[in-house]
Amino acid sequence: MDAPFQVSVINCVDEIDDQSFIESMMNQLHAKVSEHLKQAPEYFKSADLDIKLTKCTARHFPNEIRWNFEVEISGFINEREFTHTVQLQGSEIGSRKKYSMNQYVNLMNLASDVASDVKNLISKEYDSEEDFIHTGNHKRISDAKFNFVLKILLELDRHVSRQPGQYSSRWRKFRKGRWYLALLIFLATLITMSVNKIFFQHQEWDLTLALMIFYVCPMMMSVLGFIMTHCLGYLIMPSRFFQTELPGQIALRYTGCSSILVVRFFAFIIFCSVLYGTVLLARSMLFQW
């Protein structure tokens, strides 16, 4: 029998720019919170939550995009009272035309928009704070929504003292290991090239060769090793990690793709390509310099 999870999302937004955008946010909140509770039955035995969406705006001004999300959560988790307010607001400088290019379908629209901007700028009554368009589909807003939901889920985990799963711990060690491995490759490459130059090729060093030996090539090898290790992580971590654990969902989000199969396919292609390049570079360093 399923655990008694009740999640209600209520629309309490006072500033409405796009009702469909608010509804999509409510649906996302309900789906993500409900799914998160069910994925960890050992921590979430029962839940009865009311989520009040109080702020939900995504506005793009002539040179800045802003977002403001806020929820008030009240109810019970495992028969313990849970009350919390989560807010995420931010902005990013950028030209409006960068985000609304699909509106300019011909030169007439573009000319009309430029004329409108000029008129607004010279008008004494022009208020830049009132000149915005709704931009809920932009990638930056999509990322902000993801981070906002993530903050809510982290608060739920913190309430029940949820510990990182075994895959999350493995992923954290894997991420640290990338840097250690890159440093090890850098030092190993530096030593190998230096020994090879000193003992096997008795030629005078010039500035360019010294720079290649002591900086460029070891750095390139360490970067290639870092990339291969990073791609290997996406290949060996189980699918459940990317589906149920927050670090896995974040890692999958940063790839820009929601399909684990597609991410692994491209990770395999990149891994093989970088491996081939690494072998060629290593042979060049060992046998030509």
Side-chain angles (χ1 to χ4, degrees):
M1 177 180 295
D2 294 336
F5 296 133
Q6 298 292 332
V7 178
S8 301
V9 182
I10 307 171
N11 182 4
C12 299
V13 178
D14 52 356
E15 293 183 279
I16 300 177
D17 297 329
D18 188 332
Q19 184 63 37
S20 61
F21 177 70
I22 296 176
E23 292 176 357
S24 68
M25 173 60 86
M26 294 174 61
N27 293 334
Q28 182 177 355
L29 285 172
H30 185 272
K32 292 295 184 180
V33 172
S34 299
E35 181 182 7
H36 187 73
L37 295 174
K38 294 178 181 178
Q39 286 174 348
E42 65 275 19
Y43 289 98
F44 298 103
K45 308 298 182 181
S46 62
D48 186 0
L49 298 175
D50 289 328
I51 303 176
K52 297 180 180 179
L53 183 62
T54 56
K55 297 184 185 299
C56 186
T57 58
R59 297 171 174 177
H60 195 209
F61 296 83
N63 64 342
E64 183 182 14
I65 186 171
R66 301 176 191 171
W67 55 90
N68 190 2
F69 304 112
E70 182 181 81
V71 293
E72 296 176 358
I73 309 175
S74 60
F76 296 88
I77 298 179
N78 299 341
E79 299 182 352
R80 290 174 50 205
E81 185 177 6
F82 178 80
T83 303
H84 203 83
T85 299
V86 180
Q87 184 177 21
L88 179 67
Q89 59 181 348
S91 63
E92 183 174 282
I93 302 298
S95 170
R96 170 182 295 183
K97 296 178 178 58
K98 177 181 177 182
Y99 302 106
S100 57
M101 208 58 168
N102 59 328
Q103 296 182 3
Y104 308 132
V105 295
N106 53 48
L107 293 177
M108 292 298 295
N109 286 344
L110 179 59
S112 174
D113 184 78
V114 172
S116 176
D117 287 344
V118 172
K119 178 182 178 181
N120 289 336
L121 290 174
I122 64 177
S123 173
K124 295 182 179 179
E125 299 178 355
Y126 173 66
D127 185 358
S128 60
E129 291 300 310
E130 296 296 329
D131 182 21
F132 65 85
I133 58 175
H134 175 71
T135 179
N137 294 326
H138 186 259
K139 183 181 183 302
R140 192 63 189 89
I141 298 301
S142 179
D143 292 341
K145 289 171 60 179
F146 177 84
N147 293 330
F148 177 61
V149 175
L150 180 64
K151 289 184 66 175
I152 296 175
L153 301 184
L154 289 174
E155 289 298 334
L156 296 177
D157 287 349
R158 191 175 293 112
H159 182 72
V160 298
S161 301
R162 182 180 180 181
Q163 301 300 315
Q166 57 174 336
Y167 299 134
S168 296
S169 301
R170 185 189 306 176
W171 179 257
R172 184 170 59 251
K173 295 177 181 178
F174 198 87
R175 287 173 57 86
K176 292 182 179 179
R178 298 176 307 177
W179 296 100
Y180 294 136
L181 181 62
L183 178 60
L184 180 62
I185 292 175
F186 180 88
L187 296 176
T189 305
L190 178 63
I191 294 173
T192 301
M193 293 185 63
S194 301
V195 170
N196 183 52
K197 180 62 184 175
I198 294 173
F199 293 102
F200 296 99
Q201 299 183 21
H202 302 286
Q203 302 174 4
E204 262 187 51
W205 288 9
D206 56 20
L207 182 60
T208 302
L209 183 59
L211 181 62
M212 292 291 288
I213 289 179
F214 289 102
Y215 181 75
V216 177
C217 290
M219 183 62 68
M220 289 178 60
M221 289 294 292
S222 61
V223 169
L224 293 175
F226 182 92
I227 294 175
M228 283 195 302
T229 310
H230 183 74
C231 292
L232 188 62
Y234 285 99
L235 294 174
I236 66 176
M237 293 299 292
S239 300
R240 178 176 173 79
F241 167 69
F242 298 104
Q243 295 171 341
T244 63
E245 300 190 22
L246 292 183
Q249 296 177 20
I250 296 173
L252 188 64
R253 175 72 182 184
Y254 284 160
T255 65
C257 181
S258 58
S259 172
I260 302 175
L261 183 61
V262 174
V263 170
R264 284 179 171 167
F265 172 77
F266 282 103
F268 178 76
I269 297 297
I270 296 174
F271 177 84
C272 294
S273 301
V274 175
L275 178 61
Y276 179 72
T278 303
V279 172
L280 292 182
L281 182 59
R283 288 182 58 186
S284 177
M285 289 187 301
L286 291 175
F287 301 111
Q288 295 184 18
W289 291 347

